[in-house]
């Protein structure tokens, strides 16, 4: 049986409100800007995969178009295909590493949607059978910390086999 992996978000500087001072965090992540954590797990010509900066659960990953677009309807045909392809690859990786019980997958679009980043990103949120609530954390039951760097290494290790592009034809 796999070990349950839980995560204490208080360990992360950005959860404590220290947001990096850049125009767009996702564009900065893509540029490997030193002011943001380097959490790119995989990339190809049109999209990249990053660990969520404000994780909801361990293994919360985002698939992001390289272009700074804000609405899924702005995506080109090849961006759409690449987003779907990497969504599936990420799910394969998370299944293998964390064996989640399910997923929430989707976009938040627009100011009133809860989106904290304008740059379009597809959330892939693994859901676990026994997710702990805040009180469980306080009572100290079964808390296993996984640092984002550890998640990043595991997931990027799995995605490494796809390096070399999505084998898509140029449009
Ligand atoms: Zn951006």
């Amino acid at each position: 049986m796999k070990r349950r992996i839980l995560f204490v978000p208080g360990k992360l500087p950005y959860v404590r409100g220290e947001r990096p001072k850049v125009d767009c965090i996702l564009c900065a992540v893509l540029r490997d800007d030193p002011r943001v954590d380097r959490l790119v797990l995989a990339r190809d010509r049109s999209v990249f995969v990053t660990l969520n900066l404000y994780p909801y659960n361990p293994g919360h990953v985002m698939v992001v178009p390289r272009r700074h677009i804000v609405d899924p309807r702005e995506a080109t045909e090849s961006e759409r295909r690449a987003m779907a392809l990497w969504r599936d690859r990420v799910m394969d990786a998370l299944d293998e590493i964390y064996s989640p019980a399910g997923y929430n997958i989707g976009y938040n679009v627009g100011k009133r949607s809860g989106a904290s980043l304008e740059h379009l990103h597809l959330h892939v949120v693994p859901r676990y059978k026994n997710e702990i609530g805040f009180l469980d954390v306080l009572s100290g039951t079964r808390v296993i910390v996984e640092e984002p760097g550890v998640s990043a290494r595991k997931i990027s290790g799995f995605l490494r086999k796809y390096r070399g592009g999505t084998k898509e034809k140029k449009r």
Side-chain angles (χ1 to χ4, degrees), residues 14-154:
Y14 38 77
V15 173
R16 296 196 300 263
E18 298 161 21
R19 280 185 177 238
K21 290 176 182 60
V22 292
D23 284 346
C24 172
I25 291 175
L26 291 176
C27 285
V29 167
L30 181 60
R31 287 195 306 268
D32 287 328
D33 189 310
R35 286 171 294 180
V36 298
D37 287 325
R38 288 168 202 192
L39 295 175
V40 175
L41 309 178
R43 61 177 96 205
D44 73 5
R45 259 184 321 114
S46 45
V47 306
F48 65 103
V49 176
T50 178
L51 208 62
N52 193 277
L53 298 168
Y54 308 92
Y56 180 82
N57 257 347
H60 180 173
V61 164
M62 306 190 299
V63 181
V64 190
R66 282 173 174 264
R67 283 197 308 138
H68 183 105
I69 58 175
V70 301
D71 186 307
R73 289 166 291 188
E74 295 173 56
T76 64
E77 210 44 59
S78 75
E79 283 168 337
R80 283 163 207 240
R81 278 201 305 273
M83 296 285 285
L85 183 67
W86 283 99
R87 175 202 64 210
D88 293 355
R89 290 171 171 178
V90 163
M91 291 173 73
D92 284 346
L94 297 177
D95 275 354
E96 180 71 24
I97 299 163
Y98 298 104
S99 305
Y103 290 96
N104 293 117
I105 295 174
Y107 297 105
N108 296 324
V109 179
K111 284 196 174 67
R112 303 301 296 266
S113 71
S116 57
L117 302 170
E118 187 189 53
H119 190 138
L120 188 70
H121 51 285
L122 179 67
H123 290 279
V124 180
V125 185
R127 303 302 302 259
Y128 302 100
K129 225 183 279 171
N130 302 301
E131 287 174 16
I132 53 160
F134 190 57
L135 287 174
D136 299 317
V137 176
L138 288 182
S139 67
T141 52
R142 295 182 301 159
V143 176
I144 302 164
V145 177
E146 181 166 84
E147 294 287 353
V150 175
S151 310
R153 271 197 300 283
K154 288 180 183 170

